[in-house]
Each structure stands twice: as C-alpha cells, then as structure tokens.
Amino acid sequence: ILAASSSSCIGSKTWPPYDMIVISLISSRITLQCWIILDLFLTIFCEPSYFEENIFGVMKTGYMFLNYSNLWFGAWLSVLYCVKVASFTQSFFIWLKLRIARLVPWMLLTSWLCSFTAAIPFAWDAYSVHENITAPSSMTNSSARRTTRKDSLGLLILLSNAGMGMPLILSVVSSILLIGSLWIHTRRMQNHASGFRDPSLEAHMKAIKSVFSFLIFYVAYFIAFTFLLYNFFLQFSTPKSICIAVMAAGPTGHSIVLIWSNPKFRQLPARIWHHTKCSVR
C-alpha cells in the first residue's frame, strides 16, 4: 500500500488527498509495529535501565502517540470516502466536497497535534507510577499508591477520551452516512435493473462491504485499545490476551480490505512480479 501510494505521488506537485491519508496511516502503523518490537526488546534485554531511566516514559508516550495517530488517520480516511462517494445535496456537504483536497493537509497536521497533546500526560503518569513502585516501603504503601493513581487518572481519562472520542465519532458517522447513501443508490439501481448482471450495481455492493468492513475493524481496534488503556483485565488473563490479538489483527485486516477494494493496490504486486520475471529471463 505504501509503495503504491508513494509511487503515484513521486514527481507530482500536488498529492492526491487519498494518497496523503493512506501514506500517513500506513506509515503510522509501520512505525507502531517497530515501536512495539523495540519496546519488547528493551524490556527483555535492558530491563534495569528500562525502568530506572526515562526510557519507560518515552516508550509509553510514543506508543500512545502512534495509537492516537492511527485512530485519527483511519477516521479521516472514512471521512474522505464519505465526502467523495456519498451523494448528499446539503450545502455544507457540497462545500466540503469542493474543498476537501485543500483541507486534508490541515486535517493531518491537526491529527498529529491532537495525538501529541493527548499522549504527553502519559509520560508524567508513567514517571509517577514508577516512583510509587520503586520507592522504599517506608515511604509508600498500597493506599498511597492508589491515591496517587486516582489523582492522575482523572486527567488521563479526560485527555484520552478527547483523543479517542472524536476520531471514533468521525469514523462511525461518516461510515454510516456513506453506507446509507450507497444503499439508497443501490436500491434505486436494483429497481431499474434488467435481468443481466450490472457491473455498476456490483461495484456499489462491493463498496458497501468494504466500508462496513472498515467500520468493524476500526471499532474493534478502538474497543480493544480502550480496554487495555484502562487496565480492565488482569495481567496475562484471557480477555487481555484477546484484546492484544484484536489490536494486532485490526490494522492487518483493515490493510487487507484496502488492498482488496482498490485496484491500484492489487495491480502493483502483479507488476512487480512481472518485472521480476522479465529481469530473470
């Protein structure tokens, strides 16, 4: 996906809004996977310095920032689909359709800023929790740790809800509007269709399935991320393992649907394979 989108932008003065959002989304997902691997490596091989120095706070803040960015970029992709494909006649929708190409860079910049703002408090929370855990027993006890945790939890909940709630609302609303618009248009085409298979009708049905799949993967990722963020489950419990698996599978499934729904992404591997065979010959 990243290669296909980047190739269409190379040498172009203006990048298509779709490619800008997809490049940002896939780049954030690749960076997030590398960040998780790095965090696992540091936890296993550098455990003493991982908690004694500022590494724990930096890794946690970066992890939250990348997750927030992933949610924002996925939401903007749903908004772009809705604006480009849905056929609404409201004045605001028409205004947005005409200006979406100029708004996308500002939307992406706003996403980075919101993600950074929502992730910063987690560095402070990581340091405070670490100090409570590593402090001598004469200075802290379980009730003191709970008090400190409760004081910091209110601000974290407020900022994390602001960081996650808005992209969730954008994604769900835009997906529902798009599915509704496509469904109405598909029903009209079915009423006027002949007995033969209509390629346009099949394309609309495929688009509905793609958007619905996007929504399912996005909501599942959001729910799993929320459960892990607020520690709803015990460490190493089965529900927590399921949430981790959902967070790992969600972006992969979303990317597969992207490839399946876009001919440009499906054709690139075939072209690469064709050039490879030609070069070998």
Side-chain angles (χ1 to χ4, degrees):
I1 296 174
L2 185 62
S5 299
S6 301
S7 62
S8 63
C9 296
I10 295 175
S12 177
K13 293 182 179 180
T14 58
W15 288 18
Y18 177 80
D19 289 326
M20 282 193 288
I21 295 178
V22 168
I23 289 174
S24 300
L25 176 62
I26 300 302
S27 299
S28 68
R29 287 178 177 174
I30 294 174
T31 307
L32 177 60
Q33 296 301 320
C34 295
W35 197 267
I36 293 173
I37 294 173
L38 177 61
D39 181 70
L40 181 63
F41 177 84
L42 292 174
T43 304
I44 296 174
F45 297 102
C46 307
E47 185 175 359
S49 59
Y50 181 80
F51 290 101
E52 291 175 1
E53 300 178 6
N54 296 336
I55 300 176
F56 179 58
V58 172
M59 297 302 298
K60 185 174 182 180
T61 305
Y63 174 78
M64 298 306 302
F65 170 73
L66 292 171
N67 269 294
Y68 285 139
S69 300
N70 192 11
L71 291 172
W72 273 107
F73 296 146
W76 290 135
L77 185 62
S78 299
V79 170
L80 182 67
Y81 278 140
C82 180
V83 172
K84 287 290 187 180
V85 178
S87 55
F88 296 110
T89 58
Q90 285 76 7
S91 57
F92 174 75
F93 192 83
I94 296 174
W95 176 88
L96 190 60
K97 186 185 289 285
L98 295 174
R99 292 166 175 80
I100 188 67
R102 286 178 288 175
L103 292 175
V104 164
W106 295 104
M107 291 158 55
L108 297 176
L109 180 60
T110 303
S111 302
W112 285 108
L113 294 176
C114 291
S115 301
F116 182 77
T117 303
I120 282 297
F122 285 90
W124 165 73
D125 179 68
Y127 297 144
S128 63
V129 171
H130 171 62
E131 288 173 359
N132 286 338
I133 294 174
T134 58
S137 58
S138 60
M139 296 175 60
T140 59
N141 53 32
S142 58
S143 61
R145 285 198 298 269
R146 286 196 299 268
T147 302
T148 305
R149 186 69 174 176
K150 189 181 296 183
D151 292 339
S152 62
L153 193 60
L155 178 62
L156 286 173
I157 290 176
L158 177 63
L159 290 174
S160 61
N161 286 340
M164 296 189 303
M166 185 57 67
L168 177 68
I169 294 172
L170 287 172
S171 181
V172 171
V173 171
S174 58
S175 297
I176 291 176
L177 289 175
L178 179 55
I179 291 174
S181 176
L182 288 172
W183 181 254
I184 293 173
H185 193 59
T186 301
R187 295 290 293 178
R188 291 174 182 172
M189 295 175 65
Q190 287 177 339
N191 293 332
H192 297 86
S194 59
F196 300 98
R197 296 178 61 182
D198 189 353
S200 179
L201 181 61
E202 293 181 357
H204 277 72
M205 293 301 298
K206 184 178 180 181
I208 292 175
K209 294 177 183 178
S210 299
V211 176
F212 185 74
S213 301
F214 286 148
L215 182 60
I216 293 298
F217 282 120
Y218 188 92
V219 173
Y221 183 91
F222 178 88
I223 294 174
F225 179 54
T226 304
F227 285 165
L228 293 178
L229 178 62
Y230 296 131
N231 293 321
F232 285 162
F233 306 115
L234 297 175
Q235 190 74 8
F236 304 116
S237 63
T238 301
K240 187 166 187 176
S241 300
I242 293 175
C243 290
I244 294 174
V246 169
M247 285 194 66
T252 303
H254 191 271
S255 300
I256 291 174
V257 175
L258 271 177
I259 296 173
W260 174 72
S261 61
N262 195 318
K264 179 176 66 175
F265 299 148
R266 296 199 307 267
Q267 293 169 3
L268 182 62
R271 291 203 304 266
I272 294 175
W273 175 250
H274 175 72
H275 288 305
T276 305
K277 291 177 63 177
C278 293
S279 61
V280 171
R281 292 178 182 176

